[in-house]
Amino acid sequence: MPSSLFSRRNFVNAVGALAGGSLLSYSVGCKQPTISQPKEAALETGGPADYTLTIAVTPLELAPNRIVSTATYNGQFPGPLLRFQEGKQVTIDIHNQTDTPEQLHWHGQFVSTDVDGAAEEGTPFIPAHGKRRIQFVPKPSGYRFYHTHVHAGANLNAGHYTGLVGPVYIEPKNNPGNYDREIFLVLKEFEPTLSRGGDMDMNFLSPAATIKDLKDSGENAMNASLAKGMPHGFEVGYGSFTINGRMLGSGEPIRVKPGERVLFHVLNGSATEIRSLALPGHTFTVVAMDGNPIPKPVTVPGLWLGTAERISAIVEMNHPGIWILGDMANDDRQHGMGIVVEYAGQKGKPQWVAPKPFQWNYAQFGTPGAAVPKADQVFEMTFAKQNAAQDGFNRWTINGVAFAEDHMQPMFRVKQGQRYRLRMRNASDDIHPVHLHRHSFELTRVAGQPTSGVFKDVVMVGGYQEMEIDFVADNPGLTLFHCHQQLHMDFGFMALFEYV
Ligand SMILES: [Cu+2]
């Protein structure tokens, strides 16, 4: 099908004109994040902001008679979809109506430490019952997001356990637009509880090869801890699972027509969980990862996303019926992690059919065998777990050091303009979705397999595996690196890079 039923750019302009600066909801079948459009007003300091985000604890209806109380942006989940123009400065007022200071992180954007939204880098807090005005130039183009960035620790009403997540789309200067429409999906669990240990699906990453010395060291540490009578460290489980804040069957379906090409922008907004997504009888043609176009589109049977990862993928609607677009984990899907896809003229109960098992290999999205520039310096990083070592929570270390409020010295030094390689070695059995602030990185080696051309800001490092990522130090200022799993980042899994 030719590019589109309506041009996305024209649509955005039309919405902007209609909206006249106010918030407005639009419907494309399923419940979509509200689009927040900029005011036409001048940008001078002291004038009105382009956008206002208000952090407050509000009720959130996940399903009929299933209402949770959690912190949200503007009283909704997800927070409003912010559509920025690449390179065009925005002014944003952030109000905090809660009792605790907040940070709002612009995930995946190349902004300064003053606005990035990480106290560890020096971003000022948005005070409790206060506000902060920020300005920045949105970049790079693509699917980004914003979220809270505070320490939660044992408090499951704080940090990413809340509803403080919202999507950002930065309009590119040129947009190929080979799709009919876009749908934003934010995957998110609510009602968190602590448990002793949990089981994470570990078998989906490829290559699957593990490294003996990492495995020996991780298993020895775990066995020594258990032998001393320690229980397993706490993990977090959830009572309800949602897409765009609605449990499967509770929200509006995604209504489609045969032949439509739908571009899904999927975000894993979870605090702690890895998510998957499949649609029976359909495939996903991945065009971008973490908002960055990949070298060429790749078609896969389903998606896997670590915490904070984004995938933009086109689904051609060529298998009429009533289907569940849902997580491949049966238990999570049955507790809400799904949304109905309804073809025009079709009737009946939504059907789920599991796809044939498949592996998730980041290298398949890159250019095999292409040479990558030589790094100016290689940083080795070993990730390790100290079972239940901190008030029953696992403590996490990078090169033997657990990051903590009284232990925030930068661990790595970089010079502007140089290319660095992080050789990450995971001496634990957990998968870690690691994130670098204010920069993107290129995957150069995935569990031993060389690759290039895939630029991301979060990547899952498999249990007892190695991964190499390269980044260019091109955005001066303290730069936070951390695991995006809230339990891991809160209990030590962070490090700072400083420019020297
Ligand atoms: Cu982690």
Side-chain angles (χ1 to χ4, degrees):
M1 173 165 282
S3 68
S4 51
L5 297 174
F6 49 73
S7 133
R8 185 163 57 96
R9 192 161 295 281
N10 290 342
F11 172 65
V12 167
N13 289 342
V15 168
L18 275 172
S22 61
L23 294 174
L24 102 166
S25 296
Y26 73 105
S27 170
V28 291
C30 70
K31 183 191 167 205
Q32 284 284 285
T34 310
I35 296 187
S36 186
Q37 285 295 329
K39 294 190 167 78
E40 292 302 317
L43 289 174
E44 300 88 70
T45 316
D50 302 308
Y51 302 91
T52 299
L53 293 172
T54 300
I55 302 163
V57 175
T58 62
L60 198 60
E61 189 184 78
L62 310 178
N65 294 318
R66 189 158 187 144
I67 301 162
V68 296
S69 161
T70 190
T72 58
Y73 294 115
N74 296 3
Q76 62 181 78
F77 184 87
L81 169 62
L82 305 179
R83 294 198 88 125
F84 298 144
Q85 299 289 319
E86 185 179 25
K88 185 181 174 202
Q89 180 175 270
V90 291
T91 301
I92 301 175
D93 282 341
I94 308 165
H95 296 262
N96 178 8
Q97 296 180 351
T98 73
D99 298 332
T100 49
E102 268 292 340
Q103 287 282 353
L104 191 151
H105 171 48
W106 297 100
H107 187 119
Q109 292 202 46
F110 304 161
V111 293
S112 72
T113 55
D114 183 56
V115 300
D116 187 47
E120 298 82 357
E121 295 173 343
T123 314
F125 279 93
I126 307 139
H129 302 284
K131 75 164 227 193
R132 188 166 181 242
R133 167 167 287 198
I134 59 168
Q135 289 185 317
F136 62 90
V137 176
K139 64 180 175 184
S141 63
Y143 191 18
R144 315 286 159 207
F145 77 118
Y146 57 101
H147 63 81
T148 181
H149 204 290
V150 297
H151 185 272
N155 181 0
L156 302 187
N157 292 313
H160 241 288
Y161 302 115
T162 66
L164 292 174
V165 174
V168 169
Y169 197 84
I170 303 177
E171 302 289 344
K173 287 177 182 136
N174 301 297
N175 180 28
N178 189 20
Y179 53 85
D180 298 317
R181 60 190 166 100
E182 290 175 294
I183 293 183
F184 288 79
L185 300 177
V186 180
L187 317 185
K188 179 88 177 142
E189 311 81 6
F190 291 94
E191 301 178 272
T193 50
L194 290 177
S195 64
R196 288 282 185 195
D199 43 343
M200 191 189 273
D201 192 337
M202 297 295 298
N203 301 319
F204 65 92
L205 287 176
S206 168
T210 56
I211 305 231
K212 188 170 183 308
D213 74 285
L214 295 173
K215 193 168 183 184
D216 289 349
S217 127
E219 289 185 347
N220 289 344
M222 191 67 195
N223 290 337
S225 170
L226 297 176
K228 279 193 286 185
M230 296 290 279
H232 285 268
F234 290 119
E235 300 289 348
V236 171
Y238 299 92
S240 51
F241 296 73
T242 72
I243 293 184
N244 290 350
R246 299 294 284 185
M247 295 171 77
L248 174 60
S250 303
E252 287 292 301
I254 298 170
R255 296 191 176 89
V256 301
K257 296 189 192 78
E260 259 188 313
R261 289 167 59 84
V262 177
L263 174 57
F264 286 100
H265 293 295
V266 185
L267 159 64
N268 179 352
S270 179
T272 56
E273 300 247 303
I274 294 166
R275 299 257 58 102
S276 62
L277 206 59
L279 178 62
H282 298 76
T283 56
F284 296 82
T285 299
V286 175
V287 296
M289 302 186 85
D290 295 350
N292 307 316
I294 57 175
K296 59 176 185 359
V298 175
T299 300
V300 292
L303 308 177
W304 283 94
L305 304 99
T307 300
E309 284 191 292
R310 288 90 67 210
I311 295 176
S312 301
I314 294 172
V315 177
E316 189 174 336
M317 295 297 168
N318 54 12
H319 193 60
I322 312 277
W323 305 108
I324 294 171
L325 169 61
D327 198 294
M328 290 182 269
N330 292 334
D331 200 44
D332 296 358
R333 192 181 61 257
Q334 285 153 7
H335 285 88
M337 190 53 80
I339 187 167
V340 175
V341 172
E342 184 182 294
Y343 277 74
Q346 299 285 320
K347 293 257 177 319
K349 213 169 153 256
Q351 303 294 312
W352 169 258
V353 185
K356 286 206 190 85
F358 66 94
Q359 301 290 296
W360 189 250
N361 183 349
Y362 286 112
Q364 74 186 312
F365 302 104
T367 309
V372 292
K374 206 169 166 298
D376 295 298
Q377 191 178 343
V378 177
F379 292 118
E380 294 255 354
M381 287 184 169
T382 300
F383 308 144
K385 170 162 70 179
Q386 296 172 355
N387 179 57
Q390 194 166 334
D391 305 323
F393 290 86
N394 299 322
R395 183 191 287 128
W396 293 91
T397 62
I398 299 175
N399 295 348
V401 178
F403 192 92
E405 252 174 41
D406 56 357
H407 206 103
M408 302 213 320
Q409 303 90 321
M411 183 177 275
F412 304 100
R413 272 152 207 90
V414 298
K415 289 197 177 77
Q416 189 166 0
Q418 303 251 291
R419 182 180 177 98
Y420 294 91
R421 179 160 300 159
L422 306 185
R423 180 172 295 143
M424 301 183 287
R425 312 188 76 232
N426 182 4
S428 75
D429 58 352
D430 300 61
I431 295 173
H432 299 292
V434 298
H435 171 44
L436 184 66
H437 280 232
R438 308 193 310 107
H439 298 73
S440 59
F441 50 73
E442 182 175 9
L443 308 187
T444 50
R445 194 173 282 269
V446 177
Q449 185 175 354
T451 187
S452 68
V454 177
F455 292 86
K456 293 178 63 45
D457 50 59
V458 180
V459 69
M460 288 183 277
V461 183
Y464 302 134
Q465 291 196 332
E466 285 186 347
M467 181 173 292
E468 291 179 11
I469 59 177
D470 288 15
F471 75 98
V472 175
D474 55 4
N475 193 10
L478 281 176
T479 298
L480 191 60
F481 168 91
H482 64 91
C483 179
H484 218 284
Q485 215 276 22
Q486 182 92 43
L487 278 174
H488 300 181
M489 67 185 281
D490 286 350
F491 292 92
F493 203 140
M494 279 192 175
L496 280 167
F497 287 81
E498 86 178 324
Y499 281 71
V500 294

